[in-house]
Amino acid sequence: SFSYIEDTIMLSARIVKSFVPLARNQILFGCVARNIETTGAALGLDKMGLNCPKVHRNLTYEEIAQHEEKNKEGVFTNTGAFEVDTGIYTGRSPQDKYFVEREPSKSNIWWSPIPPNKPVSEKVFNEVYGDVRKYMDGKEVYVFDGYCGANPKSRKCVRFITEYAWQHHFVTNMFVRPQSAEELRNFKPDFTVINTCKGLVNKNWKRQGLNSEAFVGFDLENKVALVVGAKYGGEMKKGIFGVMNYALPLQGILSMHCSANVGKDGDSALFFGLSGTGKTTLSADPKRFLIGDDEHGWDDDGIFNFEGGCYAKTINLSKEKEPDIWNAIKRDALLENVMVRPDGSLDFDDVSKTQNGRVAYPIYHIPNYKKNSMAGHPKAIIFLTCDAYGVLPPISKLTTEQAMYHFLCGYTAKVAGTERGIKEPVPNFSPCFGGAFMPLNPIVYAKLLGEKLNRHGTKVYLLNTGWTGGGYGVGKRMDIPVTRACIDGILNGSIEKSPLKHNDRFNLEVPTHVEGVDDNLLWPRNTWADKEEYDRVALKLAGKFVEHFKQFQVPGLPDYSPYGPQVN
């Protein structure tokens, strides 16, 4: 039993205490440091105005499960994973996210409606913070202390204070876990997130001029964030991602919304792409090691994962299509808003609750993962776009300037039928392939990208995983083997031997041959029965690129529009 194992470990710890001194109530369990029980004052929470006399710090997975069950916070499924319901908040609430207006962040943040980087006054933030302190008075809480960033040189020490054991579970899965008692003993948070979503909402939101009773606020100068009213675990994950996206670029480190893998010879690759482009599927390669599936940094040493886990969508999940995710849903995994049948089995096709069902699991649930979550400078970067218009080539090679242009665009397309009223493809532009999480002007990230591409000789490619032979409803979706053949050509270097042909409309260099791909498929106009219709649709999409990019044509800043699609 667990108690027997724990007693054995505690006894062993006492025996070897002269060699490995451990702090009171701390042991090593499963190679992860933990602290069974402490007080808020012992952790310095009183200095933040929090009176929390009983704190459960860095619990083991077995202890977390015991708390989840005792608190009746959800249900255990027949896979061993724990499932919770996050109420009305089944996704992030971007209109309820705010940054305190205070220098120097006030001058650094890109106050743009898209992404919604919204200001809040110090007075309003402090008023909400006061309500949080009153609400937390005397509460029993969970504290997770860990890291965002696998590279010790640039990682941030992050602390999460939560009421729910399942939210403690979530951040334990998603962030980098301390590996020794000494790390915990010397831990000093660079940033603290206080989550009071269990019973507190912001009742004064109308008077304060806010969006709703939910409040996700960041005080960057005082290094604290408040999550009030919104239960969805992703608020904490993406909230710290936003903090990294603010802090690291100011230090010359590029923060990125992308997946990453590496070959046995150390040749790493990055995969950027919005939802539905194939980022997760294509970065999962049995011949390579997964570094991470979502958030990474690029510093002078190379690339590194921000996280210690994965946070995957479960909609229509099947063992055949996504075996790694399917097999990761086991003991210690945490499910959000996934339908559970009476017998404890999971129904991934039932999206009556939400289409954004999720599973969070530690990265070691993936068999083929890179153990230190780091690699050298990337050999290749792949921008994935699902072009539902069917006019972009399946693969194009980009210059540094073209890469910066398409990085600023972050293009993909919604298809007809996905939302009511959509009768033809609708372009979706998200700067840096993750604009919702980028507090700085996208040009800051693009300039850093360009500098690193030039310094390290990284090659960049644009891959269309969308339609060919016509747009959605007429043509067909690009076969995965075609896209994988293109990626193989990039990673093994054979693509560099192919002659290039210039696409005038989209201003792209297109390889004329890729091993394993029909040459005719590489030039999309050839695949359309109606060539004039192709020209019309291509002009239409090029115009949408041009219109979107006008926001980045700012006096005093470099203009990359000549490197994008042309309408003349």
Side-chain angles (χ1 to χ4, degrees), residues 163-402:
E163 294 182 87
Y164 282 113
W166 78 256
Q167 291 188 330
H168 185 72
H169 188 171
F170 178 87
V171 292
T172 299
N173 279 352
M174 291 313 306
F175 290 88
V176 180
R177 297 160 284 278
Q179 296 297 301
S180 72
E182 185 178 4
E183 284 184 69
L184 273 183
R185 188 164 52 245
N186 298 324
F187 189 90
K188 294 181 181 179
D190 297 314
F191 205 90
T192 300
V193 178
I194 307 171
N195 191 319
T196 62
C197 66
K198 185 176 182 179
L200 181 68
V201 297
N202 184 19
K203 296 180 180 179
N204 300 311
W205 66 274
K206 289 184 179 179
R207 174 176 58 79
Q208 294 165 341
L210 303 179
N211 179 66
S212 79
E213 60 184 14
F215 181 81
V216 183
F218 296 83
D219 187 337
L220 295 174
E221 278 68 37
N222 287 320
K223 302 177 181 179
V224 64
L226 309 175
V227 180
V228 175
K231 290 184 180 180
Y232 181 66
E235 291 287 11
M236 295 183 288
K237 166 186 157 69
K238 289 302 186 186
I240 292 297
F241 186 37
V243 171
M244 298 292 277
N245 288 334
Y246 174 82
L248 294 192
L250 299 179
Q251 302 170 28
I253 300 170
L254 179 60
S255 53
M256 304 171 292
H257 185 219
C258 66
S259 60
N261 65 25
V262 62
K264 58 180 174 36
D265 296 325
D267 52 319
S268 62
L270 303 177
F271 297 78
F272 290 83
L274 301 174
S275 179
T277 59
K279 179 180 65 171
T280 300
T281 299
L282 295 170
S283 61
D285 187 332
K287 303 186 296 293
R288 298 171 66 81
F289 299 97
L290 180 69
I291 298 172
D293 79 327
D294 195 48
E295 302 173 7
H296 292 83
W298 188 355
D299 60 17
D300 291 339
D301 295 327
I303 60 173
F304 58 94
N305 193 355
F306 282 174
E307 302 179 300
C310 301
Y311 194 37
K313 283 188 174 184
T314 59
I315 182 172
N316 300 326
L317 181 67
S318 70
K319 189 173 184 177
E320 295 70 31
K321 292 180 180 179
E322 298 284 359
D324 283 345
I325 298 175
W326 179 275
N327 292 325
I329 302 177
K330 56 186 178 181
R331 186 71 171 186
D332 302 342
L334 177 72
L335 295 151
E336 287 181 305
N337 305 310
V338 177
M339 301 304 291
V340 183
R341 301 185 182 97
D343 65 355
S345 63
L346 297 164
D347 188 348
F348 299 118
D349 297 320
D350 185 345
V351 293
S352 55
K353 169 69 176 178
T354 178
Q355 294 191 21
N356 193 39
R358 293 272 182 169
V359 59
Y361 50 86
I363 195 169
Y364 57 75
H365 278 200
I366 300 295
N368 214 34
Y369 80 101
K370 182 74 160 47
K371 285 188 169 55
N372 70 350
S373 297
M374 298 170 61
H377 301 292
K379 173 183 177 181
I381 290 177
I382 298 167
F383 293 160
L384 299 168
T385 178
C386 178
D387 176 31
Y389 291 88
V391 293
L392 287 179
I395 181 170
S396 308
K397 184 178 180 180
L398 306 180
T399 65
T400 295
E401 292 78 13
Q402 289 171 326

